[in-house]
Amino acid sequence: MNIYDIAQRSGVSIATVSRVLNGGKNVSQKTREKVLSVMQEEAYTPNAFARGLGLNTMKMVGILCTDVSDTFYAKALSLVEGNLRRHGFDVLLCCTGSQLEDKKKYLELLLQKRVDAVVLIGSAFQENTDNSHIGAASKQVPVVIINGLVELPNVYCVLCDEKEALTRNVELLYRQGSRRILYLYDTLTYSGCQKLAGYREGWRSCGLPEEDLLAVQVNKNLEEVRSKVKSLLENGESFDAVLASEDLLAVGAQKALAGRGLTLPIIGFNNSVLAQCASPSLSSVDNMLDTLCPTAVNLLMDLLDGKPAPHKILLSAQLTERETFRMDSTPHV
Amino acid sequence: MNIYDIAQRSGVSIATVSRVLNGGKNVSQKTREKVLSVMQEEAYTPNAFARGLGLNTMKMVGILCTDVSDTFYAKALSLVEGNLRRHGFDVLLCCTGSQLEDKKKYLELLLQKRVDAVVLIGSAFQENTDNSHIGAASKQVPVVIINGLVELPNVYCVLCDEKEALTRNVELLYRQGSRRILYLYDTLTYSGCQKLAGYREGWRSCGLPEEDLLAVQVNKNLEEVRSKVKSLLENGESFDAVLASEDLLAVGAQKALAGRGLTLPIIGFNNSVLAQCASPSLSSVDNMLDTLCPTAVNLLMDLLDGKPAPHKILLSAQLTERETFRMDSTPHV
DNA sequence: TGTAAAATTGTAAGTGCTTACAATTACGTA
DNA sequence: TACGTAATTGTAAGCACTTACAATTTTACA
C-alpha cells in the first residue's frame, strides 16, 4: 500500500496525497477529507524511508550516552527523550561506555543514520582532551551537550555550575568546622574535572594548606569505594568530612564510616534516588537536570528552526539537605 | 556525494559501488579496493534513507520502555541496547510512562519508523487486560517482551519466574518464624500480577489463614511508601516481615520501621543498586536481567534470520542475600 | 587455442515519497 | 458574460540507493 494506491482510490494525483500527508496546506477541504478517509480505510502508513529520502530527515535525534544504567544518566536520558518526543522527534539511542574510542565509533554510526542532531550525555571531556569526534559531528548537525562544555562552532552546552557547587560545599563544611575533607571522584569527564577543580578552589578560598588536599579517585562501584575508604581509615588517613562527585561514592564512604562507628558530614552529588535511600539519608547537590534537560531540548529546537541560540547556558546547582549534612546544624568543632 | 560520484571517480558502475557497500560479494578484489579507497578519500557515507528504501530496513529495533529513569528498566534497556548493537542494530527508544493509551500511541510511532522489531520493557499487562496494541504490532514485526508474557502468534517472551520467587520468599520467611508478612507492590503489570499471585500462593502453601493476607498497593515513591508503612504501624497493623515487588518499596518500609526502632526481615525485588546502598543492605531477588536480556536479543536475531524460536523462555530468579535476610540465620521466633 | 562455465560488471527498472512548475478550476468583479 | 487572479490539482523530475537480468570478462580445462 503506497501513495499511488491511495491516489487512485481517492481519485486524485499522488501530489495531492502527498500534500495531505504533509499538513494538507493547498488542498481543498473536500479532497483532504476524501483522501484522509481512504487512508483510514486502507490503514495506510507512509513509508518513513521514502519520506526521509524526500525530506532529507526522519525527525530523529541521536543521543550518545555513556551508561544508561547509571541513575544520573538515565534520568537525563529520560528527560531529554520525553522533551524531544513532545516536539515530534524520535530518539536513536547509543550507549557508549566510557571508552573514548567507542564514543567516536558510535557517534559516527548515529550520523550515518542521518539524525537531525546529536545530544551528548556524559560524553564530553575536559578542554585539553581529544574531542575531535564532537568537532566532526558538529560539522554535520548541531550538537548539544548536557552537563559538559566544549567550545566549538556548532556545539551548544547546557550545564550547571558544578565547580561552584563543590567550592561552596567545601566552604560550608569548613564553616562548620571541617578542616580535612575527603573528596571522592571517579571519571574525569568535563563534569568530573570541574568538580575536582571546585574542590581545590574551595580549599584555597578557605585558606587551608594545599598539602592537606585529599582527593581520591575510585571506580563507581559500591564495594570498591567502601573498601577503598576503609583502607584509608585503616592506614590512619584522617579526615573529618566527605564530599563525592557522585552519590554512589558517598554512600560507599558512608558505609565504610558506619563500619567503624563514625558519623561525619557527607555530601553527595547528583541528588539521585540513592541519596534518598541511604541511611542516614544523604545530602546531595542537585544539578538541576529537571530544568537543564528541557532547556537543552528547547535550545535544540530553536537551532533546528534556524533561530540563533546561546552556546552556553549555565545554571546554578542546589544543595538538597538531608540527614548527613545540614547547613543550619551546629558546627561540630 | 552519492553513489554516482563514487562510481565515476572509481571508474565503475553504480551497481558495483552498491555491491561494495553491501559486503562486496561478487566483486573482484581489485575493484573493491579501488572503490573503498575512493570512498575513504571522499569521506563518503551512504544515505541511510535511500538504503532503507531499497532494502526495506534500516536495521533499527524499537524499544518501548515504561520509564527509563527507573533503575530496573534502565538496566534492562542498557543490556538490550548493548546486545542489539553488537548485532548491528540501532535502537529507537520510546519511553511511554505507565498510561496504556500512551503505550499504544507510541508503539504506533515506532512502527511508522519501520523498525525491524519491537522490544517491550515493562509494557505488558496481565492476560485479561487490553494488549491489543501488542497484537497489532506483532502483525507487522516480531515483538519480544522482556519480563512479561503475552500469548500471541508473533510475540516472544523472555522472563523469569517471579511468581515462584515470591512464593519461595514467603516460604523462607515462614520457616524462620514469620506468620504475618506484609507485601508491598505497585503497578500491576504482568510482572506485578505474577508477584502478587506468588505471594498469595506462598501463603496458601504455608497453610496460613487467608484473612491474614496483607498486600498493600503503594506508589513507587520513597516518601509515599515510608509514610504508608508508618501509618500502617500507627494503626496497629501487625506484621513480622516485609516483602516488596521492588527494592524502592522495601527501602521505604525499612525506613519506616527504623523510625520506630524495629528490625524485621525484609526482602526486596530486582536486586538493584538501591538494595546495595540501603543500610542495612537489602536482600533482594535478582530477576536475572543479565542473562535474560542477551537471551532475548539472541532470540530476536534468530527470528529476524527466519529461524524458529520458542515463544516463551522462563528462567528462575535468584535470591541475593544481604543484611536484611539470610537463609541460614537463626529463626527469629 | 577454443569453449563452456564461472566470475565480474553494467543497464535499467524499481523503492515511495517530495515538490517545482505547469495546467486547470473556481471566484470576484467589471 | 468575460477576464484577471487566486486556489487547487497534476505531471514529471528528483532523492540515493538495490537488484534482476543481460552483457562482458576471466578462468579452467580439454
Side-chain angles (χ1 to χ4, degrees):
Chain A
M1 179 65 48
N2 59 27
I3 209 176
Y4 289 89
D5 299 314
I6 300 297
Q8 192 155 31
R9 281 170 176 65
S10 31
V12 298
S13 74
I14 58 162
T16 301
V17 176
S18 176
R19 284 188 197 102
V20 171
L21 235 39
N22 293 290
K25 211 57 197 168
N26 290 335
V27 180
S28 75
Q29 182 70 16
K30 205 185 295 180
T31 26
R32 181 186 315 126
E33 278 167 8
K34 174 66 185 165
V35 173
L36 283 174
S37 82
V38 172
M39 286 178 173
Q40 193 94 52
E41 277 171 33
E42 310 284 338
Y44 166 74
T45 308
N47 183 302
F49 304 145
R51 208 111 197 283
L53 189 56
L55 294 168
N56 203 30
T57 166
M58 253 176 75
K59 295 207 70 163
M60 297 193 302
V61 171
I63 297 188
L64 205 69
C65 182
T66 301
D67 176 16
V68 182
S69 64
D70 178 282
T71 48
F72 177 64
Y73 294 139
K75 183 176 176 188
L77 170 63
S78 173
L79 288 165
V80 172
E81 194 269 351
N83 280 282
L84 282 171
R85 189 164 300 285
R86 194 161 302 127
H87 290 274
F89 282 82
D90 270 294
V91 163
L92 208 55
L93 174 66
C94 193
C95 306
T96 61
S98 53
Q99 297 299 313
L100 181 59
E101 279 317 308
D102 289 333
K103 287 182 196 293
K104 291 190 176 190
K105 190 171 71 188
Y106 290 139
L107 185 50
E108 261 187 40
L109 287 183
L110 281 184
L111 293 174
Q112 282 178 17
K113 297 276 176 175
R114 306 264 159 164
V115 292
D116 294 302
V118 169
V119 174
L120 302 184
I121 298 177
S123 293
F125 296 94
Q126 62 215 102
E127 276 176 73
N128 47 350
T129 312
D130 179 14
N131 278 322
S132 58
H133 55 307
I134 300 181
S138 69
K139 272 165 197 149
Q140 300 190 42
V141 294
V143 173
V144 173
I145 298 180
I146 303 280
N147 220 32
L149 184 65
V150 173
E151 310 210 23
L152 285 171
N154 202 21
V155 176
Y156 299 81
C157 304
V158 184
L159 64 166
C160 92
D161 199 338
E162 303 188 319
K163 180 176 176 191
E164 197 273 332
L166 248 127
T167 301
R168 191 154 24 103
N169 281 353
V170 171
E171 291 169 353
L172 287 172
L173 288 170
Y174 179 83
R175 249 176 262 152
Q176 293 197 5
S178 301
R179 288 300 174 266
R180 189 115 198 275
I181 304 167
L182 168 64
Y183 178 59
L184 296 169
Y185 65 100
D186 59 326
T187 334
L188 284 178
T189 54
Y190 173 84
S191 156
C193 294
Q194 288 296 300
K195 287 183 260 193
L196 184 54
Y199 166 70
R200 294 217 174 97
E201 173 64 31
W203 209 263
R204 209 169 302 125
S205 87
C206 290
L208 290 165
E210 290 241 357
E211 62 272 23
D212 280 358
L213 276 168
L214 187 59
V216 176
Q217 185 158 29
V218 289
N219 289 324
K220 203 188 308 186
N221 173 293
L222 193 67
E223 265 321 305
E224 284 189 42
V225 178
R226 172 203 251 158
S227 75
K228 180 73 187 179
V229 173
K230 190 166 161 231
S231 76
L232 284 177
L233 288 166
E234 281 164 358
N235 294 337
E237 195 70 77
S238 74
F239 48 87
D240 49 17
V242 181
L243 289 176
S245 66
E246 235 285 323
D247 285 335
L248 186 75
L249 310 189
V251 173
Q254 189 177 29
K255 288 192 171 255
L257 290 167
R260 306 203 118 209
L262 291 171
T263 311
L264 299 182
I266 309 180
I267 306 179
F269 214 101
N270 286 353
N271 197 22
S272 67
V273 67
L274 299 189
Q276 293 173 54
C277 286
S279 291
S281 62
L282 186 67
S283 301
S284 184
V285 176
D286 190 316
N287 35 20
M288 312 305 275
L289 281 183
D290 286 303
T291 64
L292 200 146
C293 292
T295 303
V297 171
N298 287 340
L299 183 152
L300 180 53
M301 292 304 117
D302 283 348
L303 288 174
L304 293 177
D305 288 348
K307 295 182 206 158
H311 278 266
K312 178 181 172 184
I313 297 180
L314 188 68
L315 308 177
S316 339
Q318 206 166 45
L319 179 61
T320 299
E321 299 179 47
R322 294 201 185 82
E323 291 167 9
T324 62
F325 175 82
R326 291 231 136 88
M327 285 171 63
D328 56 11
S329 75
T330 320
H332 68 286
V333 166
Chain B
M1 179 65 49
N2 59 27
I3 209 176
Y4 290 89
D5 299 315
I6 301 296
Q8 193 156 28
R9 282 172 173 66
S10 28
V12 298
S13 74
I14 58 164
T16 300
V17 177
S18 176
R19 285 189 196 100
V20 172
L21 234 38
N22 294 290
K25 211 59 197 166
N26 292 333
V27 180
S28 76
Q29 181 71 16
K30 205 185 294 179
T31 23
R32 182 185 317 125
E33 278 167 9
K34 174 66 186 164
V35 173
L36 282 174
S37 82
V38 172
M39 286 178 173
Q40 193 94 53
E41 277 171 34
E42 309 284 339
Y44 165 75
T45 308
N47 183 304
F49 304 146
R51 210 111 195 280
L53 188 57
L55 294 168
N56 202 31
T57 167
M58 252 175 78
K59 295 206 76 168
M60 297 193 302
V61 170
I63 298 188
L64 205 68
C65 181
T66 300
D67 176 16
V68 182
S69 65
D70 178 282
T71 48
F72 177 64
Y73 295 139
K75 183 176 176 190
L77 170 63
S78 172
L79 288 166
V80 172
E81 194 269 351
N83 280 282
L84 282 171
R85 189 165 299 285
R86 195 162 303 124
H87 290 274
F89 283 82
D90 269 294
V91 163
L92 208 54
L93 174 66
C94 193
C95 307
T96 62
S98 52
Q99 296 300 310
L100 181 59
E101 280 317 307
D102 289 333
K103 287 182 197 295
K104 292 190 176 191
K105 191 171 70 190
Y106 291 139
L107 185 49
E108 262 187 39
L109 287 183
L110 282 184
L111 293 173
Q112 283 179 15
K113 297 277 176 177
R114 307 266 157 161
V115 291
D116 294 303
V118 169
V119 174
L120 302 185
I121 299 177
S123 293
F125 297 94
Q126 62 215 103
E127 277 175 72
N128 48 352
T129 312
D130 179 14
N131 278 321
S132 59
H133 55 308
I134 300 181
S138 68
K139 274 167 196 147
Q140 299 190 41
V141 295
V143 173
V144 173
I145 298 180
I146 302 281
N147 219 34
L149 184 66
V150 173
E151 310 209 24
L152 285 171
N154 202 22
V155 176
Y156 299 81
C157 304
V158 184
L159 63 167
C160 93
D161 199 337
E162 303 189 318
K163 181 178 174 188
E164 197 273 334
L166 248 126
T167 301
R168 190 156 22 105
N169 280 353
V170 171
E171 291 168 354
L172 287 172
L173 288 170
Y174 179 83
R175 248 176 262 150
Q176 292 198 5
S178 301
R179 287 301 173 266
R180 189 116 200 273
I181 303 166
L182 168 64
Y183 178 58
L184 295 170
Y185 65 100
D186 59 327
T187 333
L188 284 178
T189 54
Y190 172 84
S191 155
C193 294
Q194 287 297 300
K195 285 183 260 191
L196 184 54
Y199 166 69
R200 294 218 174 97
E201 173 65 30
W203 209 262
R204 208 170 303 128
S205 88
C206 291
L208 289 165
E210 289 242 358
E211 63 270 23
D212 278 359
L213 276 167
L214 186 59
V216 176
Q217 184 159 29
V218 289
N219 289 322
K220 203 189 306 185
N221 172 293
L222 193 67
E223 266 319 306
E224 285 189 41
V225 178
R226 172 203 252 159
S227 74
K228 181 73 186 178
V229 175
K230 192 168 159 231
S231 75
L232 284 177
L233 289 166
E234 281 165 359
N235 294 337
E237 196 70 76
S238 74
F239 49 86
D240 50 17
V242 181
L243 289 175
S245 67
E246 234 286 322
D247 286 335
L248 185 74
L249 309 188
V251 173
Q254 189 178 29
K255 289 194 169 249
L257 290 167
R260 305 202 120 209
L262 293 169
T263 309
L264 300 180
I266 308 179
I267 306 179
F269 214 101
N270 285 355
N271 198 20
S272 66
V273 67
L274 299 188
Q276 294 175 53
C277 286
S279 292
S281 62
L282 187 67
S283 300
S284 184
V285 176
D286 191 315
N287 34 21
M288 314 303 276
L289 281 184
D290 287 303
T291 64
L292 202 146
C293 293
T295 304
V297 171
N298 287 340
L299 184 152
L300 180 53
M301 292 304 117
D302 282 349
L303 288 174
L304 292 177
D305 288 348
K307 294 182 207 158
H311 278 267
K312 177 179 172 182
I313 297 180
L314 188 68
L315 309 177
S316 345
Q318 207 166 45
L319 179 61
T320 300
E321 297 180 48
R322 294 203 185 81
E323 291 166 10
T324 63
F325 175 83
R326 292 232 134 86
M327 285 170 63
D328 56 11
S329 75
T330 319
H332 67 288
V333 167

